[in-house]
Amino acid sequence: MKIEDIKHPELKNHINMIYMHGENQNQKAIEKTEDEIRQYIRDKYFIISTEDSKPVKIPYANDGEYLVPVFTDEAEYINGMQYFSLNVMDENKDYIIEKLDYFKKLKEDPNFLGYIVNIARVSYIINTSLL
């Protein structure tokens, strides 16, 4: 599979719906959309940023907690790498195209908070309950 083949407009739509439901304080609709996201990501492939064959970890807060960036298409990956570059975080970064359960051991790590989708836009965190 090639990077240009990865496209996730449906996931982006789900993310937008989550924000809209949040603004409307519609918890039931948020839960329904989260279920749709859970179903959607189960069999889909994403661009996952790696370093030395391990997922890139973005520190979150000060307790050792972290997020792993994933990208929904080639343009978002390019934007993400520019973001890394601006924050001096881009050395030795690469990518793989895999399902989000590829790094299964991440779920066992209590410091793993989930995947951040399209980090340059900080659009959404896929938390571990959705994996």
Side-chain angles (χ1 to χ4, degrees):
M1 185 174 298
K2 297 178 182 175
I3 193 170
E4 57 267 20
D5 295 334
I6 303 296
K7 293 179 176 43
H8 292 289
E10 188 175 340
L11 178 62
K12 291 180 181 182
N13 185 49
H14 288 319
I15 291 168
N16 290 332
M17 294 302 289
I18 289 274
Y19 283 118
M20 186 182 77
H21 296 319
E23 288 177 3
N24 295 325
Q25 299 178 354
N26 188 342
Q27 187 60 35
K28 192 169 186 170
I30 289 172
E31 290 170 6
K32 180 180 183 280
T33 306
E34 284 180 341
D35 284 340
E36 291 169 353
I37 288 172
R38 186 179 290 112
Q39 291 297 320
Y40 182 85
I41 64 175
R42 185 169 292 150
D43 298 320
K44 302 292 190 281
Y45 289 81
F46 290 85
I47 303 164
I48 302 175
S49 190
T50 62
E51 185 173 10
D52 298 327
S53 302
K54 296 179 182 170
V56 170
K57 297 177 179 179
I58 305 298
Y60 190 88
N62 294 318
D63 300 325
E65 295 175 327
Y66 63 90
L67 298 165
V68 171
V70 297
F71 304 94
T72 57
D73 58 44
E74 184 178 19
E76 292 295 351
Y77 177 75
I78 291 167
N79 286 337
M81 289 300 101
Q82 289 172 347
Y83 175 86
F84 283 138
S85 178
L86 290 173
N87 290 282
V88 195
M89 298 160 48
D90 67 335
E91 294 179 17
N92 302 318
K93 301 294 186 294
D94 203 353
Y95 72 89
I96 57 172
I97 296 170
E98 274 296 343
K99 294 181 181 179
L100 294 187
D101 63 356
Y102 180 75
F103 297 105
K104 290 183 171 63
K105 289 196 174 196
L106 285 177
K107 278 187 78 173
E108 299 168 11
D109 184 348
N111 291 323
F112 174 58
L113 300 178
Y115 291 95
I116 186 165
V117 180
N118 300 336
I119 190 171
R121 300 178 204 274
V122 192
S123 58
Y124 187 68
I125 294 173
I126 298 175
N127 64 51
T128 55
S129 71
L130 299 178
L131 300 175

